[in-house]
Amino acid sequence: MDKYAWDANEEYLFKAMVAFSMRKVPNRETTEISHVLLCNVTQRVSFWFVVTDPSRNHTLPAVEVQSAIRMNRNRINNAFFLNDQTLEFLRIPSTLAPPTDPSVPIWIIIFGVIFCIVLVATMLLIISGIRQHRRKNKGPSEMEDSEDKCENVITIENGIPCDPLDMKGGHINDAFVTEDERLTPL
Amino acid sequence: MARTPGPDQPVDGGGEERPAWDNKLQYLLSCVGFAVGLGNLWRFPYLCQTHGGGAFLIPYIIALAFEGIPLFHIELAVGQRLRRGSVGAWTAISPYLGGMGLGCFTVSFLVSLYYNTVLTWVLWYLLNSFQHPLPWSACPLDLNRTGLVQECRDSSPVSYFWYRRTLNVSADIGDSGPVQWRLLVCLAVSWAVVYLCVIRGIETTGKAIYFTALFPYLVLTVFLVRGLTLPGAMQGLTYLFTPDLRVLQNPRVWLDAATQIFFSLSLALGGHIAFASYNPPRNNCRRDAVSIALVNSMTSLYASIAVFSVLGFKAASDHGRCLDRNILHLINAFDLPEQSVSRDTYTVALARLNASQPAQVAGLPLEACRLEDFLDKSASGTGLAFIVFTEAVLHMPGAPVWAVLFFGMLFSLGLSSMFGNMESIITPLLDLGVMPRRVPKEVLTGLACLLCFFTATCFTLRSGSYWLEIFDQYAAALNLILLAFFEVVGVAYVYGMKRFCDDIAWMTGRRPGFYWRATWKVVSPLLLLTIFLAYVALLASSPPHYKAWNPRYERFPLRQEKPYPGWVLAACVLLSFLPTLWVPVVALGQLLARCRQKTRDPPQDRCPKPRGGRAC
């Protein structure tokens, strides 16, 4: 925002804006810039102003001027690059902006997200816990089945399957006497 | 008595293998997380500030050395040696002391109720921090949109958001009003998060603690760096740490230091006993105790530096705004050009105007703007977190980010303390075998969390915050001090100092030295007794009252001091003594049982065998 000095041209613009606001009022379309009078201009840029009627005999009531300016406050502010705080009209309160309420309050959205995450995580933990429990229960009964299966499984030691090492292939070494022949039969 | 190679291992409750920590780091982080809680952030800086700044560290360190660390070491050693939760451990030490475990269990239950309610409030603020502008930055409009809501206009947007939009507090404790549904759903989520983390005991808390214990340090560092770069931070820090040694003459300072170190380490709740019971038997608990206690105190200091740099910034910006308001009055009254008087030239300009036109200056509503007054505005507890700090965050650039970080940090700080609280409730229940063996642990923790949730809904009433203050002041304080006293005396005299030193020598490899034995036998019990008596004297000196938020009070926004009604006082007294009553009740019960047994059976062996299995 650029700073600018307040001089007679700015005062002319101000008078023009006030006249513009008055012209928007139904009965006052004939307000001219010359009908707006400024007085007591001080160095910090504050002044009094009045609007006279076309005959220049009396001033318009303050209430009318105030309501006209209220309707066009935004245009006046923008003409001077100012806002309600920096351009203050005494006795003209600002119209407060309506509250911007989103249809769904934001906290409910975040709450929903967190709640869903917590629920899903809890379900996962409970389910994995149940599965672990079931596996532990099945564990002792599975051990007996696997011992029977062992004999059908080919064990491999040092890369050589144990199968060829039994009586099926290979030669019988007579130096090793079998158990039955060592013992004398009864 | 022949010297056995190691003490007899007491049988774990249930015969199954006791769960163990995955690694030592989980155990240390769990203890640190339990000890480091919300109090490190919002009680210690307040005490430091009101009790003479740096001078407060002197009674604090003395209390740490003679009360904090010895008690902490006892808890860890008892848990590790006896490998049970608080109820089982104290019953094992002596059947007459079994009531202590039950007392710890009851206090833990009460504390977890209101502690999680504070987390609920933190969660509510966290959920509301994800928007810009923050909801506590401006007052809402009233019904016909012509102005701001009166209650907010008279106090401040931040106070209005806290008292009205969050708590919806009633003007009197007797007026409980309906349950606030917003707080109720946040309470449900809070307990759901706690359940999620403690669902399988230390198996799940051990994983969660990596985040909840370390995240606060990260955020504190971020706040520290950001805070130190804000204008006014250095003033805040110098004001905080400037020592004023005269405060050491005030006994209240010593009492506050002793109670602060006691509650800061979360002693006598049974949580540390529970954590240590999952340790391997040979673990250096002495080193753990000293290091965890030191980490806790260092965290308090670190947190207070971060907090006070931000509060210094807040004081400086409030001071600046005060000056701006005065400058505006001057400019309006004397028609001076805009920006002709700046904050630095204000005093000079005021003096000049006062010299030339004193009458007009006297008629202006000028406030006295002194930076010290703004720095003095200290707050502790919920006032610090939800009013002062939230207002400070509003003025930092990028406010929603800082708000999310701050409340996220508070939530993790509180959550890691809740793990300890829940462990001190669940471990004794598991050891006692309350539920049959085949019922999985998840069901037990679920039932415990559900019960706590339903009981805690009383804090979501409109008078909930008043009840929370009562619980905080009466349920926790006196009981914990008494229980800690019984702990020290029980271990040093009933269990036997020699036996205890033998156990520690077996566990850690070195007998405790003179410092430990002296503090356990003499210094700590005396200190605890003194603190207890001083605390009771303090509570009894003034009739208990509470500060109510009453918009119809003539001095609103100051809070109205009201005395507690009779039935509330009765509740306070009950809360203060009921948990500790377990100790004499169980001791008497045991005595009666023994007497009856002795008269029934002929007296063959005169020595009652303690459950540890040692013959006398």
Side-chain angles (χ1 to χ4, degrees), chain A residues 57-125:
Chain A
N57 284 342
H58 54 271
T59 61
L60 297 178
V63 182
E64 213 180 313
V65 178
Q66 280 164 8
S67 73
I69 292 187
R70 257 192 106 171
M71 303 288 250
N72 301 291
R73 190 69 190 271
N74 205 26
R75 302 287 296 271
I76 302 177
N77 284 349
N78 283 336
F80 293 99
F81 300 130
L82 297 171
N83 56 31
D84 281 359
Q85 276 78 43
T86 38
L87 174 60
E88 196 185 349
F89 287 88
L90 293 174
R91 279 185 249 137
I92 300 184
S94 329
T95 315
L96 297 164
T100 50
D101 277 335
S103 53
V104 181
I106 295 185
W107 74 268
I108 290 189
I109 300 175
I110 317 273
F111 167 80
V113 168
I114 295 183
F115 192 58
C116 288
I117 293 177
V118 169
L119 211 60
V120 166
T122 315
M123 287 291 124
L124 284 174
L125 274 176

Side-chain angles (χ1 to χ4, degrees), chain A residues 14 18 28 33 39 44 46 59 61 105-106 134 146 166 170 173:
Chain A
F14 184 79
V18 173
R28 304 281 174 202
I33 294 180
C39 39
R44 69 177 291 242
S46 72
T59 61
I106 295 185
R134 231 176 263 162
S146 58
D166 67 12
N173 190 346

Side-chain angles (χ1 to χ4, degrees), chain B residues 5 29 42 54 63 67 69 101 129 138 260 262 428 433 450 476 569 576 585 614:
Chain B
L29 281 180
W42 70 31
E67 180 202 343
I69 296 184
S129 303
Q260 169 64 15
F262 184 78
L450 204 63
L569 275 177
S576 313
V585 161
R614 283 188 188 202

Side-chain angles (χ1 to χ4, degrees), chain A residues 3 42-44 46 88 94 96-99 106-108 110-111 114-115 117-118 121-122 124-130 132-133 136, chain B residues 123-124 127-128 130-131 141 145-147 181-182 185-186 189 192-193 195-196 199-200 204 331-332 335-339 438 440 442:
Chain A
K3 278 198 264 192
T42 61
Q43 204 189 350
R44 69 177 291 242
S46 72
E88 196 185 349
S94 329
L96 297 164
I106 295 185
W107 74 268
I108 290 189
I110 317 273
F111 167 80
I114 295 183
F115 192 58
I117 293 177
V118 169
T122 315
L124 284 174
L125 274 176
I126 290 182
I127 290 176
S128 75
I130 294 178
Q132 227 172 34
H133 203 67
K136 226 191 295 171
Chain B
L123 183 66
W124 164 256
L127 294 177
N128 275 294
F130 285 93
Q131 46 189 302
L141 301 178
R145 308 258 184 97
T146 51
W181 69 270
R182 293 188 178 88
V185 298
C186 289
V189 170
V193 171
Y195 176 54
L196 173 68
I199 189 169
R200 285 201 212 131
T204 40
I331 289 183
N332 278 344
D335 266 344
L336 302 168
E338 290 288 334
Q339 296 177 359
R438 53 181 179 77
E442 287 90 331

Side-chain angles (χ1 to χ4, degrees), chain B residues 381-395:
Chain B
T382 51
L384 176 74
F386 299 116
I387 297 186
V388 175
F389 215 85
T390 45
E391 197 176 333
V393 154
L394 277 179
H395 301 297

